[in-house]
Amino acid sequence: MPDHHGASVLFVGTATTLIRYNGLTLLTDPNFLHRGQRAYLGYGLSSRRLTEPALDVGELPPLDGVVLSHTHGDHWDRVARAGLDRNVPIVTTPHAARRLRRQGFGRAVGLTTWHDHELHRGDSSVRITALPAKHAAPVMGSMLEFSGADERVDLRLLISGDTVMDRSLSAIPRRFPEVDVAIVHLGGTKLLGLLKVSMDGEQGARWTRLIDPKIVLPVHHDDYPVFTSPLEDFLRHAERAGLADRVHVLTPGETHTLPVRPRPHV
């Protein structure tokens, strides 16, 4: 029987979360820069962080893996690169995996869309499937399916990755019609003040309606000046769409307890 004690998502800041389930511990999109430090976003662009992470990289527990949507500096920074164990598996895009292996992370795994990779601890496992996403760099969303020894899925947790609304996303609910929890990257990020490369509040509400998760955890919305759509935009559009009861807002350092699907009676 899986041990669900401590099943939770801890919000660290930006898109960084610490997910614990069935004895597995995963880190997402590690951004441990401090307030005032610059994140490098590619194309010669950078942005100074406005917030503090809830944890330093040295305070992390032992990790079973890292799920990385892409390598822009607000998702994979120099602090994470210097502080994380080089032997930790990192599940990401093929583009990012090649870069990470050059940096010494030899267990980086690159997934193309709809391909998956499993991580294990004892009788517990998580299958990570790469999902479509559209951004200014190669990027992926992720479906995390946690199972115990009987291989029954106990939790299905979706991470949007940095994306804008795109027709390719419509395939996600067809393949995964039952999503327990969704972590949605928002912010309406604009490069050079013009090119929108992550969902604003209105798109985030449409994405939520499309994916139809039971619980929504918004992240990636107030940490950098390039984020132009504050959390309040998403909350307003979610309210108008009748989705407000699904949204759970976490402040950095706050934890959300994850659900467990009821087991059928034998």
Side-chain angles (χ1 to χ4, degrees):
M1 191 76 172
D3 178 11
H4 300 296
H5 179 70
S8 62
V9 173
L10 170 65
F11 181 38
V12 178
T14 316
T16 310
T17 66
L18 193 64
I19 301 169
R20 294 180 169 95
Y21 204 84
N22 283 6
L24 289 152
T25 302
L26 303 178
L27 181 70
T28 71
D29 290 304
N31 181 205
F32 292 101
L33 296 174
H34 288 279
R35 184 186 298 116
Q37 292 183 303
R38 284 194 177 274
Y40 295 95
L41 308 176
Y43 310 103
L45 303 175
S46 68
S47 187
R48 288 189 186 276
R49 187 164 184 168
L50 302 173
T51 61
E52 287 287 335
L55 293 176
D56 286 324
V57 67
E59 297 176 304
L60 291 171
L63 300 173
D64 295 290
V66 175
V67 181
L68 177 62
S69 63
H70 66 302
T71 57
H72 280 168
D74 57 332
H75 294 258
W76 177 260
D77 62 37
R78 56 194 177 275
V79 180
R81 185 170 67 245
L84 288 175
D85 181 353
R86 297 299 173 99
N87 291 315
V88 69
I90 303 177
V91 182
T92 186
T93 66
H95 174 270
R98 289 191 294 270
R99 178 180 177 185
L100 292 171
R101 287 192 288 267
R102 290 195 297 269
Q103 294 173 357
F105 293 89
R107 297 182 68 188
V109 176
L111 297 180
T112 55
T113 302
W114 305 123
H115 287 77
D116 62 66
H117 180 75
E118 288 193 13
L119 300 174
H120 298 266
R121 174 173 288 276
D123 290 334
S124 298
S125 66
V126 57
R127 177 183 290 112
I128 302 166
T129 303
L131 303 179
K134 183 178 180 181
H135 190 53
V139 69
M140 72 178 196
S142 303
M143 179 62 76
L144 279 54
E145 294 178 290
F146 291 89
S147 302
D150 60 2
E151 299 185 356
R152 176 187 179 275
V153 174
D154 294 310
L155 179 78
R156 187 172 278 161
L157 187 154
L158 189 156
I159 304 169
S160 72
D162 280 15
T163 188
V164 292
M165 286 299 291
D166 182 76
R167 67 177 63 185
S168 65
L169 305 185
S170 63
I172 297 173
R174 293 199 296 268
R175 289 182 180 242
F176 297 102
E178 294 184 23
V179 178
D180 300 296
V181 179
I183 297 174
V184 56
H185 295 194
L186 298 169
T189 310
K190 287 186 178 180
L191 299 183
L192 300 174
L194 299 171
L195 178 64
K196 186 183 297 182
V197 294
S198 73
M199 291 183 287
D200 59 17
E202 184 272 334
Q203 288 196 355
R206 284 200 283 133
W207 182 93
T208 301
R209 176 63 72 194
L210 172 69
I211 301 301
D212 196 27
K214 297 181 178 69
I215 295 169
V216 182
L217 305 178
V219 300
H220 193 270
H221 47 67
D222 65 354
D223 302 273
Y224 290 90
V226 290
F227 297 169
T228 64
S229 177
L231 176 62
E232 289 72 19
D233 286 350
F234 173 67
L235 297 179
R236 183 174 64 255
H237 285 285
E239 176 75 33
R240 290 175 181 172
L243 301 168
D245 60 334
R246 306 185 189 197
V247 178
H248 297 255
V249 175
L250 297 177
T251 58
E254 191 173 359
T255 296
H256 180 83
T257 300
L258 291 171
V260 179
R261 290 184 178 183
R263 292 183 169 270
H265 296 292
V266 179

